[in-house]
Amino acid sequence: QVQLVESGGGLVQAGGSLRLSCVASGRIFRINAMGWYRQAPGKQRELVATSTLSSINYADSVKGRFAISSDSAKNTMYLQMNSLRPEDTAVYYCNAQVQQTRVPQTDNYWGQGTQVTVSS
């Protein structure tokens, strides 16, 4: 089993920055893909940024402001969020596609979410 734990959320003024972290623990051979998603009240969960072995993708709404990165040695992924806007307010979730053994099979895991609130 694998657990993902996010941290780094909080309250920030518009124009400010936050860095979210997500630590993966458990039986991990390799993390093949990771991502950040968010869900605002009354809205569906949406993709923010994803990173695979070959590409990185961002939602149009965060391009140029957010950056996804990772430290594979620590099984940790990050989301640097700059120039935050009130519309970025949401619960942010990390996601990972984890290969637990040398067998090329991945399982999908989610963190519990961390609240980000941007005041105007």
Side-chain angles (χ1 to χ4, degrees), residues 6-12 18-21 81 90 92 114-117:
E6 300 107 332
S7 61
L11 174 63
V12 64
L18 285 173
R19 189 175 83 152
L20 305 183
S21 300
M81 305 185 295
Y92 284 70
T114 185
Q115 176 70 46
V116 171
T117 303

Side-chain angles (χ1 to χ4, degrees), residues 7-12 17-20 36 38-41 66 79 81 84-93 113-119:
S7 61
L11 174 63
V12 64
S17 298
L18 285 173
R19 189 175 83 152
L20 305 183
W36 289 94
R38 66 187 181 188
Q39 187 166 18
F66 290 12
L79 184 68
M81 305 185 295
L84 282 161
R85 305 167 180 169
E87 53 265 38
D88 295 319
T89 295
V91 177
Y92 284 70
Y93 298 89
T114 185
Q115 176 70 46
V116 171
T117 303
V118 184
S119 63

Side-chain angles (χ1 to χ4, degrees), residues 38-85:
R38 66 187 181 188
Q39 187 166 18
K43 295 187 177 182
Q44 290 187 332
R45 190 173 297 188
E46 64 176 2
L47 181 151
V48 175
T50 60
S51 177
T52 69
L53 298 177
S54 59
S55 66
I56 293 176
N57 294 288
Y58 296 96
D60 289 342
S61 59
V62 307
K63 282 181 181 176
R65 300 189 297 123
F66 290 12
I68 187 172
S69 63
S70 66
D71 184 337
S72 59
K74 298 180 179 179
N75 285 330
T76 301
M77 65 184 84
Y78 305 97
L79 184 68
Q80 178 67 44
M81 305 185 295
N82 300 324
S83 302
L84 282 161
R85 305 167 180 169

